[in-house]
Amino acid sequence: MHHSIVRGLGAIIIIFCALYGTVYAQRASLTGRISDAAGAVIPGAQVTITNINTGVSRETVSNDEGYYTLPQLLPGEYRTVVRKDGFRPLQQSG
């Protein structure tokens, strides 16, 4: 009886690892650089990305060089909004 429990637990662990690896592998990151029309970088811009199908949002802020990264995004269609005081908000979908 003890061996069948261990085998069953082993099978569950193998299935979980296979599923986890599959789900984890289907993620992506979004990286960009915020700049104005003249090409000057904009640090401290708030970047919000929203999955259009689920409504789940993630936020980050651009660094001193204007770069931002949003890691571990699930596949889907997203809307991105960038905001910074003194600038019009910029929205992009698709």
Side-chain angles (χ1 to χ4, degrees), residues 42-62:
I42 302 176
Q46 179 184 10
V47 180
T48 304
I49 186 167
T50 304
N51 184 310
I52 293 172
N53 296 321
T54 65
V56 174
S57 293
R58 303 257 312 271
E59 294 183 358
T60 191
V61 176
S62 60

Side-chain angles (χ1 to χ4, degrees), residues 27-73:
R27 295 191 181 222
S29 296
L30 175 66
T31 300
R33 188 174 195 198
I34 309 297
S35 60
D36 65 12
V41 299
I42 302 176
Q46 179 184 10
V47 180
T48 304
I49 186 167
T50 304
N51 184 310
I52 293 172
N53 296 321
T54 65
V56 174
S57 293
R58 303 257 312 271
E59 294 183 358
T60 191
V61 176
S62 60
N63 66 17
D64 290 340
E65 297 176 351
Y67 288 103
Y68 67 90
T69 299
L70 288 156
Q72 300 297 315
L73 298 172

